[in-house]
Amino acid sequence: MNATGPWPVELRLKKAEKRLDIEFDDGKRFSLPAEYLRVESPSAELQGHGAGQKTIIGERAHVGIIDLEPVGNYAVRIRFDDLHDTDKTRFGTTLVLALGLIGLAGRTHGAGQYLKIDYPASTATNELQVAVTYTLWIPDGVKTIRGIIVHQHGAGTTASIEGSTAASDLHWQALAKKWDCALWGSSYHVQNEKIDTSPGASELWFDPRNGSEKTFLKALGEFASKAGHAEIDKVPWALWGHSGGGIWADVMTALHPDRVAAVWMRSGSSLMFLSHPEFTDHDVPAAVYRIPMMTNPGVKERPKQPPPEPDTRTATEKMKGPWLGNIATFKEYRTHGGLIGFAPDPLTGHECGDSRYLAIPFLDACLAMRLPDKGSQDQTLKPMDTSKVWLAPLFGDEAKPAAEFKGNPAEAVWLPNEAVAKAWMDYVKTGATSDTTPPPAPFDVRVSAKGEQGTEIVWSAEADFESGIGGFIVLRDRQELAKVPEKPVGKFGRALFQSMTYHDTPSQPLPQMRYVDTSAKAGEKHSYSIVSVNSVGLKSQPSAPAPVQ
């Protein structure tokens, strides 16, 4: 944000009136018709790709707004009912469109580029029959992208909506940035809670064979073109999936084993869904067993009733559901020598909880071993270094180096190295992992006087790799002034600056790295610093002090 520009404090969508109301912190309010926003959209379709190329479109008086979607910390995407989306439209740019004022466009705090692609639902039986929005985040300064980390939500309408913020997650961005990877989030716009292939249902996407595989591959090519990174269409993938997203990741791995560096299946895998007759089993190439994987159900997902005596269940009934399905996948793959682990979460049911604190180090270890060398033209994935493997008994909580393991290795939980093994032992006992390292200090602190409203402080920060960002402390003249947020929310796990949803994605609206010191008087000279606090309470060093500008 421009240090002197007003800040939006409320956006209110009035669908019936086809208007968007915006209130700023200087008290100004504006009511913008949907027609005006649609016609003045800053997309290339309307503005062109250079000076003098703007196109004026007509016949948009009928247009309404379906919804608003936060993009990063300071942008909003407007979804119109004629299926046009704005580009990443900054709040300040919206004000420019409304008032013709100059100098109010905001600066974003995310150190990266966000790209989006929307596809409408197809009517063809062999193509994706639900609409989808893909979001790709690319870290700043990356010359060549080395891989794509895919964060795939589960089935249902809520999962679809909450999956839309996956690419804006600061903690997952830290993993992507470490390995020069892009972070991919999907939002499949299902219309109901059904998990079958009826119109608008989730199986239409979470079985890739129903069209989402083709659409995903198509989007890779389009992102490559939009981003100016041709390698996006060729680099490996690390797949994370929850519930139906776990099914999707499992099947995609079988379809493209040469592209998949690692897989994390949270409460979902393909075997759990074989009881549905329309969902057919798929071939598992031998190459799949060389891909490191982790299955991660919640202990509270265990069936409440014991199996009948004698056990008359069919083979598919013995694998039905997230708990049994994840176990069956683990056993099946381990029988074939697969590099797969099993990490039951002792605190949760189907929600993701604090699973990220094990998923991120697991994928980190796998990417370290498997990604092609930086700058290499050869994108063939490297094999895992199995000399560092640790093993643990299924349903146990103690792991040992493979050479010291006393049980049957073919039935043991597979862990790629000592660091992941120690994190796994923490996780299966407590539902989270320990951390003793403080987070990095915030940076790029900007301070501006706001007259009678006080002093505004904005900043940037990167997530602590081990524990994310729990919040911030604002210091004025080296003394604690405030906490941001005042009370972090941890409904589905640890309290975080970006509070987590059921689906391991940031809650909406995305929070701002911003604080207004209303106690500061006009003309007073203060300096401000920011301290990051990670999710286990460890504090960073203060940022460099910034005076009022």
Side-chain angles (χ1 to χ4, degrees):
M1 196 196 76
N2 181 299
T4 61
W7 193 274
V9 293
E10 182 179 20
L11 274 73
R12 180 170 296 178
L13 175 59
K14 296 183 175 180
K15 289 187 178 182
E17 300 173 28
K18 298 183 179 181
R19 306 185 74 83
L20 176 64
D21 289 355
I22 307 176
E23 179 179 351
F24 287 81
D25 60 6
D26 61 359
K28 292 185 174 66
R29 295 181 176 87
F30 304 95
S31 186
L32 309 179
E35 178 188 10
Y36 176 80
L37 291 167
R38 173 64 176 92
V39 172
E40 291 288 353
S41 166
S43 68
E45 170 202 2
L46 304 183
Q47 303 299 328
H49 295 276
Q53 296 184 14
K54 180 174 179 178
T55 300
I56 302 298
I57 60 171
E59 300 182 355
R60 287 296 183 272
H62 67 286
V63 169
I65 299 173
I66 297 173
D67 60 26
L68 306 176
E69 177 187 346
V71 179
N73 289 329
Y74 301 97
V76 65
R77 172 176 288 260
I78 304 171
R79 193 181 307 282
F80 298 96
D81 60 11
D82 66 349
L83 298 182
H84 174 83
D85 285 6
T86 61
D87 290 330
K88 291 179 290 183
T89 307
R90 293 173 179 172
F91 286 118
T93 306
T94 302
L95 186 58
V96 171
L97 292 173
L99 301 178
L101 298 179
I102 298 174
L104 299 181
R107 72 177 178 89
T108 61
H109 288 288
Q113 177 186 17
Y114 291 88
L115 300 171
K116 289 208 174 192
I117 295 175
D118 289 275
Y119 295 112
S122 174
T123 57
T125 56
N126 63 340
E127 296 180 357
L128 182 63
Q129 296 180 50
V130 293
V132 62
T133 299
Y134 295 126
T135 305
L136 192 71
W137 177 81
I138 301 173
D140 277 348
V142 175
K143 293 182 178 179
T144 303
I145 293 171
R146 300 179 67 194
I148 297 175
I149 298 168
V150 180
H151 191 288
Q152 181 54 60
H153 67 72
T157 56
T158 302
S160 171
I161 294 168
E162 295 186 342
S164 66
T165 60
S168 298
D169 189 290
L170 295 170
H171 200 173
W172 282 98
Q173 286 181 358
L175 174 65
K177 180 178 180 180
K178 179 177 179 179
W179 295 106
D180 288 352
C181 288
L183 179 61
W184 177 298
S186 307
S187 178
Y188 290 94
H189 306 308
V190 297
Q191 303 300 310
N192 53 57
E193 307 311 315
K194 295 179 181 179
I195 51 172
D196 54 26
T197 55
S198 61
S202 290
E203 194 182 342
L204 292 172
W205 72 260
F206 71 63
D207 184 346
R209 299 166 295 185
N210 289 332
S212 62
E213 175 205 14
K214 292 180 182 178
T215 308
F216 176 82
L217 296 175
K218 179 181 178 182
L220 286 171
E222 291 198 27
F223 276 133
S225 177
K226 286 170 72 89
H229 282 279
E231 69 275 13
I232 287 175
D233 204 21
K234 302 177 180 64
V235 295
W237 318 322
L239 305 181
W240 179 100
H242 173 225
S243 189
I247 298 173
W248 183 88
D250 196 3
V251 179
M252 283 293 286
T253 301
L255 294 173
H256 301 276
D258 58 323
R259 295 290 296 272
V260 179
V263 186
W264 184 279
M265 291 176 276
R266 168 70 200 198
S267 298
S269 62
S270 61
L271 290 181
M272 79 179 198
F273 212 67
L274 289 180
S275 58
H276 293 247
E278 78 284 357
F279 184 85
T280 57
D281 202 358
H282 57 83
D283 293 332
V284 180
V288 168
Y289 303 127
R290 298 191 292 271
I291 299 170
M293 303 181 182
M294 185 70 73
T295 53
N296 171 220
V299 168
K300 295 178 183 178
E301 295 182 288
R302 287 183 298 192
K304 292 180 171 55
Q305 299 296 326
E309 291 290 346
D311 192 345
T312 56
R313 294 176 298 168
T314 65
T316 55
E317 288 173 338
K318 292 177 181 179
M319 300 184 291
K320 186 177 181 179
W323 177 263
L324 296 177
N326 271 181
I327 292 172
T329 298
F330 167 79
K331 290 181 175 180
E332 174 70 16
Y333 285 20
R334 282 303 280 155
T335 298
H336 291 86
L339 310 181
I340 188 168
F342 179 76
D345 185 334
L347 300 183
T348 66
H350 201 56
E351 71 276 20
C352 292
D354 286 327
S355 58
R356 62 172 49 206
Y357 302 112
L358 182 60
I360 288 175
F362 174 81
L363 294 175
D364 176 50
C366 298
L367 291 171
M369 296 186 197
R370 300 215 69 204
L371 282 179
D373 291 334
K374 201 167 184 176
S376 173
Q377 295 299 312
D378 183 3
Q379 288 301 302
T380 303
L381 285 160
K382 296 179 181 179
M384 287 295 290
D385 179 359
T386 56
S387 67
K388 301 177 181 180
V389 167
W390 282 48
L391 299 174
L394 182 62
F395 307 120
D397 57 16
E398 293 293 332
K400 297 285 185 183
E404 300 175 19
F405 183 71
K406 303 301 183 184
N408 182 352
E411 298 175 353
V413 173
W414 181 93
L415 302 164
N417 60 25
E418 181 179 3
V420 173
K422 289 183 175 179
W424 177 89
M425 286 188 276
D426 268 353
Y427 181 79
V428 298
K429 294 171 186 174
T430 69
T433 60
S434 58
D435 183 14
T436 59
T437 58
F443 55 95
D444 197 19
V445 179
R446 307 283 184 90
V447 183
S448 57
K450 291 292 184 179
E452 295 180 356
Q453 297 173 12
T455 299
E456 177 190 65
I457 307 99
V458 297
W459 63 92
S460 297
E462 294 182 353
D464 178 44
F465 193 81
E466 291 78 16
S467 300
I469 299 177
F472 299 96
I473 298 172
V474 180
L475 305 179
R476 185 176 71 184
D477 302 329
R478 301 184 180 180
Q479 301 297 314
E480 183 173 324
L481 174 65
K483 290 182 170 66
V484 179
E486 183 177 356
K487 294 181 179 179
V489 176
K491 185 177 180 181
F492 294 107
R494 292 177 183 168
L496 293 172
F497 172 67
Q498 290 182 324
S499 61
M500 287 297 101
T501 69
Y502 188 99
H503 311 279
D504 189 63
T505 55
S507 297
Q508 301 185 51
L510 295 175
Q512 303 165 356
M513 293 183 192
R514 172 182 182 264
Y515 179 76
V516 176
D517 178 8
T518 57
S519 67
K521 306 301 184 196
E524 290 182 347
K525 300 296 184 182
H526 297 291
S527 66
Y528 294 84
S529 299
I530 310 296
V531 173
S532 285
V533 184
N534 67 16
S535 66
V536 298
L538 298 174
K539 299 176 182 178
S540 74
Q541 292 294 316
S543 65
V548 179
Q549 298 295 324

